[in-house]
Amino acid sequence: MGSWDGREYQARFDAMASRGIDVHGEAAFVMGYGPRSVLDAGCGSGRVAIELTRRGVDVVGVDADPSMIAEARRLAPDLTWHHEDMTELELPRQFDLVVMAGNVPIFCPPDKRRALVQACAAHLGAMSLLVCGFQLGRGYGIDEYDAACEDAGLDLVERYATWDRAPYRPEADYAVSVHRPRAGTVNRPAPLAAAGPHTGR
């Protein structure tokens, strides 16, 4: 998969916002759970992370695409951004919520999709949530995602068809899923040394 142009990608949302379109549906959805800290997994140009920060949340963003991270750093240099494959991320902390917005599992190589969910789960505390939204019918479906969550020790809490919480139905072309760690599942953050070369803004 080729690299994106982060500035061009962000410009599309800026244009939508200038026309009065609400481009912060994902952030509003996340705020409904009242998190104090969020890991934005596959943060792209930082749109969701920056908005969550504006709303008072402690946010860390990670993305594998250098152009996307460069744009995120340009827009919000004071936030913590990691240029890294999310499937290999090991931060020495956990978060109240991990969010994957913008079709992150679809853009992840198929052979790494289970590792992606595992990495997200590793950054969840016992009472934390994993929120993920992606389009259906693009070679990756709900059954596969739920199976990956099951393997990672996560249980489904609720599911919607849109970020504004429209009811989910089997014929929906989009799904926003909320999972949490299964009772008794212990996910421990990586040791501090593991985060050495990956930290930085």
Side-chain angles (χ1 to χ4, degrees), residues 108-154:
C108 182
D111 62 344
K112 288 188 173 185
R113 285 171 178 160
R114 286 181 179 264
L116 172 67
V117 176
Q118 291 280 355
C120 288
H123 292 86
L124 296 174
M127 303 301 292
S128 302
L129 296 172
L130 171 62
V131 175
C132 179
F134 61 92
Q135 289 181 312
L136 306 177
R138 296 182 59 179
Y140 185 67
I142 282 298
D143 289 346
E144 292 169 275
Y145 179 70
D146 283 348
C149 288
E150 173 74 18
D151 287 349
L154 304 175

Side-chain angles (χ1 to χ4, degrees), residues 55-135:
R55 300 187 189 203
V57 181
D58 172 23
V59 186
V60 172
V62 56
D63 201 282
D65 189 281
S67 180
M68 288 292 196
I69 283 293
E71 179 66 2
R73 287 174 172 156
R74 183 185 73 83
L75 293 172
D78 292 335
L79 270 64
T80 300
W81 306 106
H82 296 272
H83 173 214
E84 187 166 351
D85 185 335
M86 181 62 209
T87 65
E88 300 174 2
L89 188 72
E90 294 182 340
L91 297 181
R93 63 175 293 190
Q94 295 174 326
F95 298 81
D96 293 337
L97 188 148
V98 176
V99 61
M100 290 193 284
N103 293 316
V104 174
I106 293 174
F107 294 126
C108 182
D111 62 344
K112 288 188 173 185
R113 285 171 178 160
R114 286 181 179 264
L116 172 67
V117 176
Q118 291 280 355
C120 288
H123 292 86
L124 296 174
M127 303 301 292
S128 302
L129 296 172
L130 171 62
V131 175
C132 179
F134 61 92
Q135 289 181 312

